[in-house]
């Protein structure tokens, strides 16, 4: 077995669980192994909370000591403080696997590269470089680094992050049966719906088609996560919408009706929901498609009748559903 | 982390790679861990070759010693002989994870339960019992057994095996785009086609619809695996087929044209390939569906326009495609 690749794959799998949800940060996963023994697996979950390296170190402490830390490990400051007070050799026999170069950037907390260096880990295995100038250079702060393990897969994981540095990352959501049918009531498991609402909460803008607004009269809020509903742009040439449609009445939300897509030039995270018309209108702009595929075949007539070439990136179970991350290619 | 569940999940994942291909044996996976350190992962691959336990022990020997054994580990007799000649404490600190109770049945080689017992492994973790009377009882031959880890998932893996003990296990193959369209030339990656041919080679009977035979004029052989082409039953009420259609000309194959499905009462493995009509005709008989899903959306008009409730069981990458094992429920 190629153990470096095996553990890096675990780190990648964990990171994919939070793909998109870490916006504007990248999805990053980490694994800690002591003398060949797996101690912990973790991923960065949400901007403003602990990085993957910190979470995996705290979880490794808990595994080694058999004790829970008395605070929330997602609190970066408390976690850093705690880790730096451990006996100097606590992680001396440990190897950390990280899908992305640990940050060199010193903010409110020490950088992850500096943390790993001060904790004197035996070895650091890194899949790929941080693409942001000023955040990279973590590798140079570390000793005994193995670089480039599953680099290509790590680059794929970083795709959205690299795009939203320079323009909008556009993710089109598909909820369909296993024979590609859409509509006809709720299609998805609660876990899938919860995940959609998490994405809505974290994105900058939700784009929706005019026909979907008129026909489905949606709310498009984040009620399953009790989060703030996203600002909505209705992609339409006409302004004549019934303002009694629930989406207009969600508090604290901006709604704009527009057929101007120039806002996509701005670095941001844009989620698109809609039917075939919307997919067709925005095909040129769409970077990734996220399928929530439900385990049934249906005779409902609607589907996305369009030609498109994709690359599958990752699959995840969402309760009974399957979630498939894919990238548009050749456009 | 729950390490027993983690390692059992690895064993299950490995076993799924050979689902169906082990016929008439069950799909079984195994993992070997020494003092918390992962040594090897393996699965039974083909009837008549080494069981998962034997393969994982040989691979663990190779990992520990850094040396390759000088024979094919799939040779059960040589592998057993080799393992029994190792120093008595070679695996004394090891835990073996097996998705199915090790066999108690002594055939040409010692049973796996007896092998594990003689090698004096520290602990054996087993997901579920062998459902065959006469093959079970392996647990009782072992000391220090942890039983029932991920049992439900292991039972799902065993589904086909349990069915083909008493009647035909009927697997319907679907090759489709990500929006559920079928037909229009080759849809699948070479890896997917290779896998279909492996299934054709191992199954007892390939059932195909009369319309598919007339319209597609298929060969239905195993050219990608250079294996023996399966016997074919054409499900049709009419006998008037053009005997120039290639499937009739494959050497060493029986072809029968019939609308009598009573052969499904016999314990066997039956693969079904066909379009919507065939799926509809055999819906009552179909146990599982295997999707080869290709990463594109297409405007080809054909699809399986039918209502069916499924349960997703496992997903596997097949080069650029995705392979989805699913079970029909509520029928």
């Amino acid at each position: 077995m190629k153990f470096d690749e095996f553990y890096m794959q675990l780190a990648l799998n964990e990171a994919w669980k939070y793909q998109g949800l870490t916006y504007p940060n990248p999805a990053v996963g980490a694994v800690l192994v002591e003398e060949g023994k797996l101690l912990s697996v973790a991923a960065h979950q949400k901007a403003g909370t602990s990085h993957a390296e910190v979470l995996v170190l705290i979880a490794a402490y808990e595994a080694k000591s058999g004790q829970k830390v008395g605070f929330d490990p997602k609190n970066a400051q408390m976690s850093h403080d705690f880790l730096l007070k451990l006996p100097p050799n606590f992680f001396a026999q440990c190897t950390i696997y990280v899908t992305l170069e640990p940050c060199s950037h010193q903010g409110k907390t020490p950088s992850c590269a500096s943390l790993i260096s001060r904790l004197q880990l035996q070895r650091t295995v890194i899949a790929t470089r941080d693409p942001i100038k000023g955040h990279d250079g973590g590798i140079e702060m570390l000793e005994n680094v193995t670089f480039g393990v599953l680099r290509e897969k790590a680059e794929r994981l970083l795709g959205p992050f690299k795009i939203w540095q320079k323009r909008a990352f556009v993710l089109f959501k598909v909820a369909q049966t296993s024979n590609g049918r859409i509509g006809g009531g709720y299609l998805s498991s609660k876990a899938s719906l919860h995940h959609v609402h998490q994405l809505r909460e974290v994105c900058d803008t939700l784009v929706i088609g005019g026909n979907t607004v008129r026909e489905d009269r949606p709310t498009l809020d984040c009620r399953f996560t009790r989060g703030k509903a996203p600002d909505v742009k209705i992609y339409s040439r006409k302004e004549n919408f019934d303002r009694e449609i629930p989406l207009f009445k969600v508090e604290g939300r901006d709604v704009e009706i527009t057929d101007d897509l120039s806002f996509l030039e701005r670095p941001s995270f844009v989620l698109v929901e809609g039917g075939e018309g919307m997919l067709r209108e925005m095909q040129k702009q769409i970077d990734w498609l996220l399928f929530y595929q439900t385990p049934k075949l249906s005779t409902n007539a609607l589907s996305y009748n369009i030609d498109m070439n994709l690359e599958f990136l990752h699959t995840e179970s969402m309760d009974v559903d399957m979630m498939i991350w894919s990238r548009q290619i050749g456009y």
Side-chain angles (χ1 to χ4, degrees), chain A residues 36 85 114-115 123 151 208 270 281-282 311 318:
Chain A
K85 279 180 197 147
S114 139
L115 180 70
R123 188 164 71 105
R151 183 176 189 169
I208 182 109
V270 172
E281 285 283 359
M282 288 193 65
E311 178 192 9
M318 294 304 280

Side-chain angles (χ1 to χ4, degrees), chain A residues 153-177:
Chain A
K153 288 185 171 184
E155 290 291 331
R156 247 174 279 168
L157 171 70
L158 276 187
F161 178 72
K162 287 192 281 186
I163 293 172
W164 69 49
Q165 300 306 314
K166 47 183 196 227
R167 59 167 176 83
F169 169 69
V170 182
L171 177 65
F172 191 92
K173 185 209 91 173
V174 170
Q176 66 171 23
T177 66

Side-chain angles (χ1 to χ4, degrees), chain A residues 262-291:
Chain A
S262 64
F263 71 94
L264 296 177
E265 294 162 20
R266 220 173 44 233
S268 54
F269 177 12
V270 172
L271 182 64
V272 185
E273 302 189 36
E276 182 187 315
M278 196 60 198
L279 183 54
R280 210 173 276 283
E281 285 283 359
M282 288 193 65
Q283 183 170 8
K284 273 189 199 170
Q285 282 78 30
I286 288 162
D287 295 301
W288 284 22
L289 278 86
L290 175 55
F291 293 87

